[in-house]
Amino acid sequence: MRIAFVASEVAPFAKSGGLADVAGALPRHLRDLGHDIRLFVPLYSSIGQRAADVTPLSTAQGVPLYLGPHFYRFSIVEGRLPDTNVPLYFVHCPEVYDRTTLYTDGVDEHLRFLVLQRAALETCQRLAFAPDIVHCNDWHTALMPLMLKTLYAWDALFGATRSVMSIHNIGYQGIFAHGTIHDIGGDVRGLLEPAAASGGPINWLREGVRHAHAVTTVSPTYAQEICTPLGGHGLDADLRARPDGVIGILNGVDYSEWNPATDRYLKHHYTADDLSGKAATKRALLDWLNLPVADTTPLMGIVSRLTVQKGFDLLFDTLPEILATRDLALVALGSGEARYEDFFARLQHRFPDRVVFHRGYHDELAHLIEAASDMFLMPSMYEPCGLNQMYSLKYGTVPIVRRTGGLADSVQMWDPSTRQGTGIVFNDFDAGGVWWAIHTALDLYKDRDAWLQIVRNGMAQDFSWERQAREYEAMYLALPRG
Ligand code: ADP
Ligand code: GLC
């Protein structure tokens, strides 16, 4: 199959979260299955020299784009996904991508991602690349199914194209004032949902859900959750209205990137058979962070975007109390909303010998925390898939998670009677739940035999992309042909 895969992030070039990991890995594995897949992403100015090995695509230079009253020119520079021959088409349009952050709250935010979507389809035309599949990811690319039915409907190149809308996070929908309808172009009014058609704001993700040939999301449990009023963030009725439903495919892990036996950031590698490298990594990180704690003190890690989704509100009262009463050290890495940054900063201030908060984004430290920690905390309010709990399993770092979305699908509660299970899982989104989970983990940590068994159970799990990519392939193949 010929596949155009379009996303707003791709690791290692531009990343704010798990979408980048998926866009950097899934295409490679679809390529390994024999598909002709091409990736389209913005050339953000922050990518800079990381995209050094690129050449201008001669058929797509200075291409004019009219978005309503706005006029842009874009050019494509072609690279490769690292260590693959998957073409990576960077959309170069400094007017919209020369910003300090990937996302902005500026007035032209919709234009920035209209440029991406239009550039992807215009480039297919210029390359005479007739995609069997246009694979859209999240709201930034959610208007392409609609564009294929309107602006590009005339072009036989797209006559057999099927569109797939993958939802990585339904909490972000891309909702813009009705007036932006002119920027989309084409005769879309008759196809928009009724409220948008009659003057209301335009919700991009809703239109993606309504017009794509298939809607997928990143775990089976999240596929069920978003079809309910509680989990649907207002789109549940649109999702339920789809006769074919929502297909849940758990994300995979890129084990070439996340493997304690080969991790390029680790000095001390390790495997399930010999965990001495994990102990050495813990010691080294504690020393580097200047934390005067013993090897026997359990170390808990957190690596996260600090947003309401991630559930850290539950820690405001519980974590200070637990740190005050139990032997525990914490290393947290993340940035985001001020109230969470302030909370972790205050925690470090109150427990300077046992808590380190690193505010910011830091790839290497993220790997070190995964490897050095004994346990990893993800108390998410909702979690479409979540990748860090799967990384943690591989690194022998016991995940403590709430039973939601992909966390529910990838971590099994430890059962002392069968000695099965890979982590600590709590059900209710309340302080009592996380309080119970952390205490349970700390108690279990003292039972060295049980702990080692949980660690080994986790390290034996396999969430490789090889298998998950086949599920995407099967989903593509099952799409009705026109
Ligand atoms: P989400 O996409 O909702 O942020 P995921 O668990 O799917 O959650 O993916 C998060 C990804 O981003 C992981 O690869 C994680 O290691 C990485 N990450 C998140 N915050 C940071 C940070 N501050 N520094 C480095 N990596 C981070
Ligand atoms: C989103 C979700 C996360 C998921 C990631 C990749 O950012 O919040 O749970 O793992 O996308 O699909």
Side-chain angles (χ1 to χ4, degrees):
M1 278 179 280
R2 284 179 299 272
I3 305 159
F5 191 99
V6 192
S8 60
E9 306 187 5
V10 62
F13 301 102
K15 168 165 166 176
S16 81
L19 171 60
D21 299 57
V22 175
L26 174 58
R28 167 148 52 95
H29 289 92
L30 287 166
R31 168 76 229 182
D32 290 345
L33 292 173
H35 303 295
D36 180 359
I37 184 163
R38 320 233 177 148
L39 202 57
F40 294 87
V41 292
L43 186 62
Y44 301 105
S45 52
S46 57
I47 292 179
Q49 281 314 303
R50 269 174 291 170
D53 208 4
V54 292
T55 49
L57 181 70
S58 59
T59 52
Q61 294 301 303
V63 182
L65 260 192
Y66 293 91
L67 305 180
H70 313 277
F71 176 73
Y72 300 99
R73 282 185 190 278
F74 74 87
S75 297
I76 297 288
V77 288
E78 180 178 0
R80 291 278 179 273
L81 263 189
D83 307 319
T84 74
N85 56 0
V86 176
L88 178 45
Y89 297 127
F90 288 106
V91 179
H92 186 43
C93 182
E95 265 180 279
V96 288
Y97 299 136
D98 189 359
R99 307 285 159 92
T100 51
T101 51
L102 304 189
Y103 307 115
T104 77
D105 48 18
V107 289
D108 66 349
E109 191 67 354
H110 70 292
L111 295 166
R112 301 179 68 228
F113 295 104
L114 284 174
V115 169
L116 171 64
Q117 300 176 84
R118 291 285 308 274
L121 295 172
E122 301 275 326
T123 304
C124 288
Q125 291 177 316
R126 282 161 185 267
L127 288 169
F129 178 76
D132 298 295
I133 305 290
V134 167
H135 194 145
C136 315
N137 295 277
D138 278 351
W139 70 263
H140 322 88
T141 55
L143 285 187
M144 281 193 289
L146 183 61
M147 289 175 174
L148 287 166
K149 289 183 181 174
T150 52
L151 266 181
Y152 294 90
W154 63 271
D155 192 345
L157 186 82
F158 299 115
T161 301
R162 297 288 170 266
S163 55
V164 172
M165 179 75 241
S166 287
I167 301 175
H168 296 263
N169 193 332
I170 210 164
Y172 304 91
Q173 299 178 359
I175 302 172
F176 299 104
H178 184 77
T180 59
I181 192 171
H182 306 293
D183 304 339
I184 299 170
D187 195 6
V188 296
R189 189 178 300 275
L191 291 176
L192 292 176
E193 54 104 8
S198 54
I202 302 173
N203 181 323
W204 286 21
L205 191 59
R206 191 192 303 278
E207 298 307 331
V209 164
R210 294 175 71 249
H211 294 289
H213 291 95
V215 174
T216 77
T217 189
V218 289
S219 71
T221 295
Y222 196 59
Q224 291 173 7
E225 289 171 351
I226 58 179
C227 290
T228 68
L230 206 60
H233 290 245
L235 296 190
D236 48 295
D238 302 87
L239 291 164
R240 287 195 304 272
R242 291 192 60 95
D244 57 342
V246 180
I247 303 161
I249 304 176
L250 196 71
N251 285 333
V253 173
D254 184 352
Y255 288 124
S256 66
E257 197 51 36
W258 294 95
N259 181 348
T262 54
D263 191 317
R264 70 189 126 118
Y265 296 115
L266 298 189
K267 228 186 269 146
H268 311 281
H269 291 119
Y270 60 92
T271 63
D273 295 330
D274 179 2
L275 289 164
S276 55
K278 183 169 177 66
T281 305
K282 176 176 174 183
R283 188 69 263 158
L285 183 67
L286 290 172
D287 290 346
W288 186 66
L289 296 174
N290 268 323
L291 285 181
V293 298
D295 289 341
T296 48
T297 297
L299 177 64
M300 188 159 78
I302 291 175
V303 177
S304 188
R305 293 184 296 114
L306 300 179
T307 67
V308 66
Q309 170 197 347
K310 301 296 178 180
F312 297 119
D313 294 79
L314 300 187
L315 304 181
F316 287 178
D317 294 327
T318 42
L319 205 48
E321 193 233 270
I322 293 172
L323 280 160
T325 54
R326 301 213 51 170
D327 185 26
L328 171 67
L330 171 74
V331 50
L333 165 65
S335 64
E337 290 173 34
R339 59 201 175 116
Y340 305 117
E341 293 186 353
D342 292 348
F343 166 70
F344 285 112
R346 278 199 311 271
L347 211 57
Q348 165 170 309
H349 191 251
R350 185 167 160 198
F351 302 97
D353 288 346
R354 288 188 292 135
V355 175
V356 166
F357 170 49
H358 185 98
R359 181 173 159 278
Y361 188 91
H362 197 309
D363 275 328
E364 179 177 3
L365 187 54
H367 283 249
L368 293 177
I369 291 174
E370 281 292 2
S373 302
D374 297 293
M375 43 192 86
F376 193 94
L377 183 61
M378 296 178 76
S380 303
M381 174 186 272
Y382 73 93
E383 195 62 75
C385 179
L387 295 169
N388 281 105
Q389 81 283 9
M390 297 195 280
Y391 302 157
S392 297
L393 291 169
K394 186 73 183 169
Y395 282 72
T397 304
V398 175
I400 303 172
V401 304
R402 191 170 92 81
R403 196 185 306 280
T404 182
L407 300 175
D409 293 335
S410 56
V411 182
Q412 287 86 44
M413 179 66 200
W414 165 251
D415 179 346
S417 64
T418 60
R419 298 182 75 75
Q420 309 267 308
T422 54
I424 307 299
V425 184
F426 66 101
N427 290 324
D428 296 333
F429 188 73
D430 57 28
V434 79
W435 187 93
W436 171 84
I438 297 175
H439 278 290
T440 302
L442 293 176
D443 292 343
L444 257 173
Y445 182 77
K446 292 192 201 148
D447 179 345
R448 296 314 295 162
D449 278 353
W451 192 261
L452 197 59
Q453 188 63 50
I454 308 178
V455 165
R456 293 229 161 96
N457 291 350
M459 292 182 86
Q461 301 288 307
D462 179 10
F463 293 102
S464 57
W465 268 115
E466 279 77 15
R467 198 173 41 206
Q468 303 315 96
R470 280 184 205 283
E471 291 203 33
Y472 278 94
E473 181 183 56
M475 178 268 300
Y476 292 155
L477 287 168
L479 291 175
R481 309 276 123 191

